[in-house]
Amino acid sequence: MKNFGNLLKQAQDMQAKMQELQDKLGEINIVGVAGAGMVYVTLNGKGEMQAIKIDPSLFNSEDKEVVEDLIVAAFKDAKTKAEQRAQEEMSKLTGGINLPPGMKLPF
């Protein structure tokens, strides 16, 4: 039974560390860029959009599809960076042990 108690304590410690990581990821800002700096999208480490910045010259454009595509591209850039950062933070938490393919943090 002593081993089971030890295992339970380790699981609780890991759960607390995961919560700390989730809190930390919520405070990290990641910026994605598209259109040579014409569109910026800021996400937190959980992948939630925090801000968007669009160069005013794009509003003069009559091709709204270009602006829409740039927003999507900037979001994808930021999302990729956020996922990489989350993986780095998870690696620190797990002592360098990577998660199995397809297994991601709970967000």
Side-chain angles (χ1 to χ4, degrees):
M1 268 315 213
K2 187 175 183 180
N3 286 338
F4 180 73
N6 229 3
L7 185 61
L8 184 59
K9 170 112 175 75
Q10 288 177 343
Q12 289 171 337
D13 290 346
M14 181 58 81
Q15 184 177 14
K17 288 180 182 179
M18 286 294 292
Q19 184 58 49
E20 288 174 18
L21 177 60
Q22 287 296 310
D23 294 343
K24 182 178 179 179
L25 289 174
E27 296 172 3
I28 294 172
N29 285 323
I30 310 290
V31 178
V33 183
M38 297 183 87
V39 176
Y40 291 85
V41 170
T42 303
L43 304 180
N44 66 17
K46 294 180 178 182
E48 300 165 340
M49 189 180 299
Q50 303 297 304
I52 186 167
K53 180 180 175 188
I54 302 172
D55 187 292
S57 68
L58 288 175
F59 293 114
N60 297 331
S61 172
E62 293 188 27
D63 192 5
K64 79 176 188 84
E65 290 175 0
V66 170
V67 177
E68 293 168 348
D69 290 344
L70 289 173
I71 292 169
V72 170
F75 178 83
K76 286 181 181 179
D77 183 46
K79 184 74 171 167
T80 298
K81 291 175 182 176
E83 288 171 351
Q84 289 171 345
R85 180 67 180 271
Q87 187 64 31
E88 290 169 8
E89 295 298 327
M90 177 56 98
S91 181
K92 290 178 193 175
L93 178 70
T94 61
I97 299 171
N98 290 326
L99 292 174
M103 187 175 181
K104 296 186 177 191
L105 290 174
F107 63 82

